[in-house]
């Protein structure tokens, strides 16, 4: 367990990066206007409703691990957060997870209706790619690489396929390896994109550094999901005595249902250790990445 990393250090890191990405998101998503006012209101509602901005933080921290962050990092970070917001809007839809609440507030389709929620997700996805075409003084080859990374890891070789595996598995028990494969795609891929794109937009990341950052991101991506399952069980147990977490109620396999709570905690700790190990070739420039990894396995409700 990362005993040397205090939650305060992570909160400071998060606030610092959030301010920069929020400024960029404000510029991309001005207050709703014109004939499609509802669409813009729905996009803003979903982007500015209390997300932790974990993916932007990873993007900034990865940029700083190899060089420095700048206004281009903020654009890439905004693109990643818009993809994340779109995925949550679509994941909450009646035809998917059918959730009424997200971050304690009505989900986008409850607030704006299903058709507008679908369009808000579509709009956020295309705005994300548009951001990557509006970087300043970045080599065209780097722009192409960023677009390739986001389409691969956010799309059919990553998050979208993860969601499809999840849908196909509904109602049937998954073995541990299948569960890992599903989460590596569904949540891990966008986390990996956040780290790799942050480093790539600097134009200064070496192949070896990208390989190490990829190993780091894969480890924390899995740890993130395990911790999510642990929190799911803990919050349900706290609130309801003996009732299980929501994924268990939805008949979904989870790390805790397969491994049990204690073994799941050990796995998350081991993945944290592997993530730190992956950064051994980096000096202090990767301290923010290390702090974020600590937050991922220590975070509470
Ligand atoms: C619909 C194409 C499509 C994909 C959806 C990521 C995803 C795929 C669904 C999300 C389902 C879910 C709630 C998974 C648990 C892990 C997770 C992604 C939690 C939310 O991420 P946080 O904690 O969210 O970073 P905040 O609210 O802080 O932004």
């Amino acid at each position: 367990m990362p005993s040397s990393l205090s939650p305060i250090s992570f909160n400071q890191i998060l606030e610092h990066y959030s301010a920069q990405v929020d400024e960029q998101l404000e510029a991309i998503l001005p207050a709703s206007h014109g004939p499609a006012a509802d669409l813009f209101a729905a996009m803003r509602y979903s982007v500015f409703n209390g997300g932790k901005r974990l993916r932007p933080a990873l993007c900034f921290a990865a940029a700083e691990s190899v060089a420095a962050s700048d206004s281009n990092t903020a654009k890439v970070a905004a693109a990643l957060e818009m993809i994340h917001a779109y995925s949550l809007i679509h994941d909450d839809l009646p035809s998917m997870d059918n959730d009424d609440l997200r971050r304690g507030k009505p989900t986008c389709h409850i607030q704006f209706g299903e058709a507008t929620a679908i369009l808000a997700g579509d709009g956020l996805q295309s705005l994300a790619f548009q951001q990557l075409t509006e970087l300043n003084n970045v080599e065209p080859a780097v722009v192409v690489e960023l677009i390739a990374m986001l389409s691969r890891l956010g799309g059919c070789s990553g998050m979208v396929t993860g969601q499809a595996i999840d849908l196909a598995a509904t109602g049937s028990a998954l073995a541990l390896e299948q569960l890992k494969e599903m989460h590596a795609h569904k949540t891990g891929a966008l986390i990996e994109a956040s780290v790799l794109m942050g480093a790539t937009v600097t134009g200064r990341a070496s192949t070896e550094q990208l390989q190490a950052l990829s190993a780091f991101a894969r480890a924390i991506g899995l740890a993130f999901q395990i911790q999510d399952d642990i929190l799911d069980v803990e919050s349900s147990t706290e609130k309801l005595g003996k009732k299980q977490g929501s994924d268990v109620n939805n008949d979904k396999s989870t790390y805790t249902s397969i491994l049990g709570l204690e073994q799941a905690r050990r796995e998350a700790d081991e993945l944290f250790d592997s993530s730190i190990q992956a950064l051994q070739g980096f000096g202090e420039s990767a301290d923010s990445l290390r702090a974020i990894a600590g937050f991922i396995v220590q975070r509470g409700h």
Side-chain angles (χ1 to χ4, degrees):
M1 185 58 83
S3 54
S4 61
L5 296 165
S6 78
I8 294 167
S9 68
F10 174 74
N11 287 339
Q12 284 165 341
I13 289 166
L14 206 61
E15 270 173 36
H16 175 64
Y17 295 143
S18 289
Q20 295 175 67
V21 77
D22 280 4
E23 194 183 345
Q24 186 60 31
L25 287 165
E26 278 288 348
I28 302 164
L29 295 165
S32 60
H33 58 278
D38 254 15
L39 169 66
F40 288 96
M43 290 194 291
R44 274 188 70 86
Y45 178 83
S46 299
V47 165
F48 295 105
N49 71 347
K52 290 184 291 296
R53 309 291 195 229
L54 180 63
R55 290 149 197 83
L58 284 167
C59 177
F60 278 103
E64 290 167 11
S65 76
V66 297
S69 60
D70 60 15
S71 59
N72 285 325
T73 322
K75 287 185 179 179
V76 174
L80 288 156
E81 188 66 14
M82 287 192 289
I83 294 284
H84 172 58
Y86 122 70
S87 80
L88 297 181
I89 295 171
H90 282 193
D91 186 62
D92 290 335
L93 288 170
S95 55
M96 299 241 188
D97 264 11
N98 195 17
D99 280 316
D100 290 354
L101 288 176
R102 162 79 47 198
R103 301 163 178 153
K105 295 174 194 135
T107 46
C108 190
H109 65 273
I110 294 290
Q111 190 74 11
F112 293 92
E114 195 175 340
T116 300
I118 292 170
L119 287 178
D122 294 340
L124 286 168
Q125 179 169 207
S126 53
L127 276 175
F129 283 96
Q130 189 180 330
Q131 275 298 285
L132 302 181
T133 68
E134 293 176 3
L135 300 169
N136 297 315
N137 299 320
V138 172
E139 290 291 327
V142 170
V143 174
V144 170
E145 184 57 26
L146 290 168
I147 291 173
M149 281 174 172
L150 191 57
S151 47
R152 180 166 58 84
L153 292 164
C156 295
S157 302
M159 185 179 73
V160 173
T161 287
Q163 184 77 349
I165 298 173
D166 195 7
L167 283 177
T170 305
S172 55
L174 290 179
L176 183 61
E177 282 314 308
Q178 293 172 305
L179 185 73
K180 281 186 180 170
E181 192 200 7
M182 190 261 285
H183 286 306
H185 286 81
K186 186 175 155 180
T187 49
L190 196 61
I191 286 176
E192 187 177 357
S194 305
V195 173
L196 292 181
M197 290 172 72
T200 299
V201 71
T202 65
R204 303 261 304 277
S206 68
T207 306
E208 292 72 30
Q209 284 175 320
L210 288 173
Q211 275 166 358
L213 290 170
S214 176
F216 166 82
R218 284 169 188 232
I220 58 158
L222 217 46
F224 176 87
Q225 189 58 52
I226 296 177
Q227 185 63 14
D228 210 65
D229 287 352
I230 292 171
L231 290 173
D232 205 19
V233 170
E234 286 179 349
S235 68
S236 300
T237 310
E238 273 163 27
K239 276 191 220 138
L240 305 166
K242 47 190 183 320
K243 203 169 175 209
Q244 294 282 298
S246 58
D247 275 352
V248 179
N249 288 339
N250 285 343
D251 255 353
K252 287 189 176 180
S253 300
T254 65
Y255 285 101
T256 47
S257 72
I258 294 177
L259 295 174
L261 203 51
E262 282 316 306
Q263 183 58 25
R265 280 204 183 101
R266 274 196 289 276
E267 285 262 339
D269 288 349
E270 279 169 23
L271 285 162
F272 169 78
D273 291 342
S274 307
S275 75
I276 298 301
Q277 187 71 20
L279 297 178
Q280 65 181 340
F282 294 76
E284 284 179 7
S285 66
D287 277 355
S288 291
L289 284 177
R290 296 183 183 100
I292 296 170
F295 162 79
I296 282 173
V297 291
Q298 286 181 316
R299 75 190 199 280
H301 305 292

